[in-house]
Amino acid sequence: MESGYRPIRILPPALQNQIAAGEVVERPASVVKELVENSLDAGATRVSVDIDGGGQGLIVITDDGRGMDPAELPLALTRHATSKIADIRDLHHIRSFGFRGEALPAVASVSRLKITSKSDQYPEASFVEVEFGRIVNQGPAASKGGTRIELRDLFVNVPARLKFLRAPSTETKRCIEALTRMALARLDVAFNIGVGGQPRQRFVSGQNLLGRLAGVWPPAVVEGLIELDHGAAGYAVSGLAAAPRVSQGNASRMYFYVNGRPVQDRILMRAVIDAYKGKLVSREYPAVVLFLTVPPEDVDVNVHPAKTEVRFRDEGRVFAVVRQAVSQVLAGPGAAMGVTYFASGPDMGVRENAAPLPGSGAGAWGGEKFSGRREYLSLTGEGGDGRPADGKSFGEAVSGWIFGRAGSPGGGREEPQDGGSSPDTRSARPASPGFGPGAATGAYSGPGGARVRLESKPAAGPLAGAAGPRFGPAFEKAPERPGERPGERFDAAPRPPLTGKTGEYLGQIAGTYLALRRGDATLTLLDQHAAHERVIYAAMRASRTRGDSRRLASPLEMSLHPAEAARLDTLYAELRSVGFLLERPAARRLLVKGAPPTLTPGRAKEYLSFALSGQAKSLDDLWIMLACKAAVKAGCVLAPDEAMALLAAWEETPDKEYCPHGRPAVVTLGLKELEKLFKRRK
């Protein structure tokens, strides 16, 4: 007989329940989810939840649903005891949240539990007390109706599970998140959430979906939501999807429901992300609350004990219907993009997913052609009135909004230091720290054969020390040809090679990649978006590490949404280290008394709003997102001087081989690689 052999036997009920608890009860939020689902299945119209000690100390759930008779209370604590299904055919038409009969006994096996309940068919209420799976007391009780569950000392008898719990504040946040997801699916039910005996969140019955989201998501996110309602192939899709400008660096605001059940499903997520393809930058996620209604027989909800995963009979059909629903909404006029686009020359090509340039004569959404001189839109969609950015460098146009307009050497108006806006702020040209250290060198022929000299100019802005010299081409005065407008594209006349520290610039490929020759046998291809992204991010990091602050003449006042106030508590130390001087005279009120020197008051307020909306996990992630949004996009045609300036700045930037997201910025092909491509060597 082998060592360690034991005969097959049935596990004791207590051990069975603890094993089930390991599958169903992962943390306090799992307990809250399971117990509230029981309340909803019982027809409750009001549910109150109070949490203390992160849910590990105390969870109290009270509802007004159908209660249980005295004889049913101990039976409900038995595994696989349920009133929701009777035979195997019911598994194919499940419309309730619960049906397996595992949750309550599993929870009772890892806690001290007391249930008090009264049904409509029985004259008096009753209670039962359980300690770690064992009934210790039961009898009559006082109750007007419904069910009340008190749970204490969760996981006290399972130390291995207890040590994996996070801080009470984190576990509390997860409990509230689980409740919020259920509240969004049941608008007909009132929910009251308390923490430590103090009210935290309240959802009144009869609210619409947008109204409930307004209580938990920041205004910056809620204001960008668009309603969707679509039906096809017997399926229905409804909910809210955010305009692409309301994006974030994680998928925490992607909520999915199947037949009213909150789920985590890769098919639904892939379909939504595919619908946003081309509208979001790399590693950004939309905010979406999506409800999919399908025939019950077309979905299997019995895939996992926690019932957070489902399996579809026809995944391709689900994918197509969801993708079509979201795509139709994003194609409508309500999905206005606020993304920076930068045009250069009459054959710039198609500008996708952007609002028309004011004064440009383009009246359609997407697909319009640029014409004439260089124009720009601000990242928020509020700037840009069609004025050409004459004399402004490429970096100033695409990066300036981050660092503000104060001190612009190009003649931009300086914003008032009290945080107000000048009447024509929207037409002011933004200033920029430029691409960073380095010099653009070389010359080529301009209109009428005039020589164009490329040179570096010292920075006049506040980031001169951090980001290096401001680049900008200096053009020698050249006569204009008859009928020619200033600023039009140069003739395609033969040009001397443009050379600099990075090598000899050969040209741009597909409006996206910059080609260089280094030495006689090396070809380098640079992704202009990834390179510019790295340069902007490096400049912001250099500014951040100094931690300087500039006091404002008049403090900026901001009102805080509850979600923003909670976010501020998390980011306060980081914001202070960056240079923000903040004061909280009240829970929902914030005073900004100082800001980093690189930000004007208006930009400081904009930056704080963006940070507190929770669209990134940390300030570093936020700066990565901002750098990505501000960087030149793929498909943007660059003039040779602009390309050379970008190359020069990129060459001097740390970690330049990759963008902040980790994507390659450069590919180098040496002689050996080229010969292998042409099969000249093995």
Side-chain angles (χ1 to χ4, degrees):
M1 183 179 295
E2 294 181 4
S3 175
Y5 173 80
R6 294 179 181 177
I8 297 175
R9 63 193 178 97
I10 298 175
L11 294 175
L15 185 54
Q16 292 180 29
N17 287 334
Q18 286 211 3
I19 292 173
E23 298 175 333
V24 177
V25 187
E26 181 183 1
R27 56 188 351 109
S30 308
V31 175
V32 170
K33 171 186 173 295
E34 296 290 345
L35 298 183
V36 171
E37 284 181 348
N38 283 344
S39 296
L40 296 175
D41 283 340
T45 60
R46 294 191 306 275
V47 178
S48 297
V49 180
D50 196 77
I51 302 162
D52 197 12
Q56 192 274 326
L58 175 67
I59 298 174
V60 179
I61 298 176
T62 307
D63 68 60
D64 64 348
R66 295 184 301 273
M68 291 178 279
D69 294 341
E72 290 180 320
L73 278 178
L75 188 60
L77 296 168
T78 305
R79 290 193 71 205
H80 304 305
T82 179
S83 61
K84 299 167 188 176
I85 61 173
D87 57 47
I88 195 169
R89 290 172 298 181
D90 293 336
L91 283 177
H92 302 292
H93 299 83
I94 293 174
R95 298 185 182 275
S96 58
F97 286 111
F99 55 89
R100 298 166 63 106
E102 287 183 304
L104 203 53
V107 170
S109 71
V110 291
S111 67
R112 292 186 172 92
L113 186 72
K114 180 180 180 180
I115 306 175
T116 304
S117 188
K118 180 184 181 300
S119 72
D120 297 336
Q121 286 74 36
Y122 205 79
E124 62 180 23
S126 57
F127 80 95
V128 61
E129 287 189 41
V130 186
E131 286 191 0
F132 309 116
R134 182 172 59 90
I135 295 178
V136 296
N137 197 8
Q138 59 182 319
S143 174
K144 295 181 180 179
T147 301
R148 174 185 172 90
I149 297 179
E150 297 179 35
L151 183 146
R152 302 175 186 275
D153 301 329
L154 182 64
F155 297 139
V156 165
N157 65 328
V158 192
R161 181 61 60 86
L162 188 63
K163 70 180 183 181
F164 283 99
L165 294 183
R166 301 290 185 183
S169 59
T170 302
E171 296 297 342
T172 298
K173 182 179 179 181
R174 288 176 171 171
C175 290
I176 295 175
E177 173 75 9
L179 283 165
T180 299
R181 287 179 181 258
M182 286 185 282
L184 296 178
R186 293 297 304 270
L187 304 178
D188 58 321
V189 178
F191 291 84
N192 292 297
I193 306 170
V195 177
Q198 300 298 317
R200 175 63 66 88
Q201 188 72 54
R202 181 171 178 262
F203 299 104
V204 299
S205 61
Q207 281 180 301
N208 60 22
L209 181 59
L210 194 63
R212 289 210 164 173
L213 281 172
V216 292
W217 285 0
V221 178
V222 175
E223 290 167 3
L225 295 175
I226 313 160
E227 186 176 359
L228 62 90
D229 192 358
H230 175 74
Y235 292 179
V237 181
S238 61
L240 297 167
R245 62 182 175 81
V246 187
S247 61
Q248 60 186 57
N250 57 68
S252 63
R253 291 198 178 113
M254 296 183 72
Y255 293 178
F256 299 105
Y257 300 82
V258 176
N259 292 347
R261 180 188 303 276
V263 299
Q264 299 171 352
D265 186 78
R266 60 182 179 84
I267 300 298
L268 299 178
M269 179 173 283
R270 279 173 45 202
V272 170
I273 291 177
D274 196 68
Y276 279 87
K277 193 173 183 179
K279 299 174 175 65
L280 297 178
V281 297
S282 176
R283 299 191 185 182
E284 281 190 345
Y285 297 88
V288 61
V289 182
L290 188 143
F291 296 87
L292 174 66
T293 304
V294 303
E297 60 271 18
D298 284 358
V299 59
D300 183 4
V301 299
N302 195 26
V303 178
H304 190 275
K307 303 178 292 295
T308 56
E309 300 176 11
V310 295
R311 182 183 293 120
F312 297 105
R313 176 177 292 179
D314 190 344
E315 293 182 347
R317 185 174 165 191
V318 169
F319 181 92
V321 170
V322 172
R323 185 188 183 283
Q324 184 180 16
V326 179
S327 296
Q328 286 181 353
V329 167
L330 297 180
M337 311 300 165
V339 183
T340 300
Y341 284 86
F342 189 85
S344 178
D347 59 350
M348 164 65 188
V350 177
R351 179 172 67 103
E352 298 178 349
N353 310 322
L357 281 171
S360 66
W365 284 93
E368 67 270 21
K369 293 281 186 176
F370 282 116
S371 63
R373 293 138 72 186
R374 200 168 293 143
E375 298 172 301
Y376 64 90
L377 282 173
S378 76
L379 190 72
T380 59
E382 296 178 353
D385 57 356
R387 288 180 58 179
D390 296 329
K392 301 299 287 184
S393 71
F394 171 76
E396 290 168 338
V398 297
S399 309
W401 77 273
I402 296 179
F403 302 98
R405 302 185 178 95
S408 170
R413 296 177 61 90
E414 182 173 344
E415 296 188 18
Q417 291 300 301
D418 60 359
S421 299
S422 59
D424 59 346
T425 297
R426 295 173 62 160
S427 9
R429 300 176 186 170
S432 165
F435 285 118
T441 60
Y444 60 92
S445 298
R451 302 288 290 174
V452 179
R453 184 178 69 256
L454 304 180
E455 64 180 19
S456 294
K457 295 183 178 181
L463 277 184
R470 181 188 306 277
F471 75 86
F475 296 95
E476 295 179 2
K477 183 67 176 178
E480 298 176 9
R481 297 179 180 178
E484 183 179 58
R485 296 183 304 168
E488 287 190 342
R489 290 172 60 89
F490 299 139
D491 294 339
R495 304 169 181 167
L498 295 178
T499 58
K501 189 174 180 179
T502 55
E504 180 184 343
Y505 176 60
L506 303 178
Q508 189 182 29
I509 302 171
T512 302
Y513 305 102
L514 307 181
L516 288 165
R517 178 167 59 195
R518 293 183 171 183
D520 293 331
T522 302
L523 175 65
T524 298
L525 297 175
L526 191 77
D527 183 325
Q528 64 189 32
H529 174 74
H532 190 201
E533 196 177 3
R534 169 57 70 179
V535 170
I536 295 175
Y537 175 70
M540 287 190 286
R541 286 201 62 171
S543 170
R544 169 191 181 181
T545 54
R546 292 202 304 268
D548 297 335
S549 182
R550 181 190 65 214
R551 285 196 169 271
L552 304 180
S554 178
L556 298 173
E557 184 171 346
M558 298 176 62
S559 58
L560 296 177
H561 183 276
E564 293 173 327
R567 181 72 173 164
L568 178 60
D569 293 337
T570 304
L571 293 178
Y572 185 86
E574 245 186 305
L575 289 169
R576 180 63 190 89
S577 67
V578 171
F580 283 99
L581 300 179
L582 307 175
E583 184 177 304
R584 292 271 296 275
R588 303 285 182 87
R589 189 162 160 255
L590 177 66
L591 293 180
V592 184
K593 295 190 171 182
T598 56
L599 297 177
T600 62
R603 293 304 182 196
K605 189 172 183 179
E606 183 179 11
Y607 180 92
L608 277 175
S609 298
F610 201 72
L612 297 180
S613 67
Q615 293 176 245
K617 292 181 180 179
S618 65
L619 290 187
D620 201 59
D621 290 338
L622 177 64
W623 283 346
I624 290 175
M625 183 185 298
L626 294 178
C628 192
K629 288 180 180 293
V632 57
K633 303 298 184 287
C636 179
V637 176
L638 303 185
D641 63 304
E642 296 169 337
M644 287 296 293
L646 172 55
L647 289 168
W650 171 80
E651 185 67 37
E652 302 296 329
T653 302
D655 303 319
K656 62 179 180 292
E657 288 79 13
Y658 297 90
C659 79
H661 296 105
R663 194 167 56 83
V666 63
V667 172
T668 300
L669 299 175
L671 182 59
K672 290 183 179 180
E673 289 79 12
L674 291 172
E675 289 180 338
K676 286 181 180 179
L677 289 175
F678 289 98
K679 299 187 183 297
R680 288 180 174 271
R681 68 161 63 197
K682 294 182 180 180

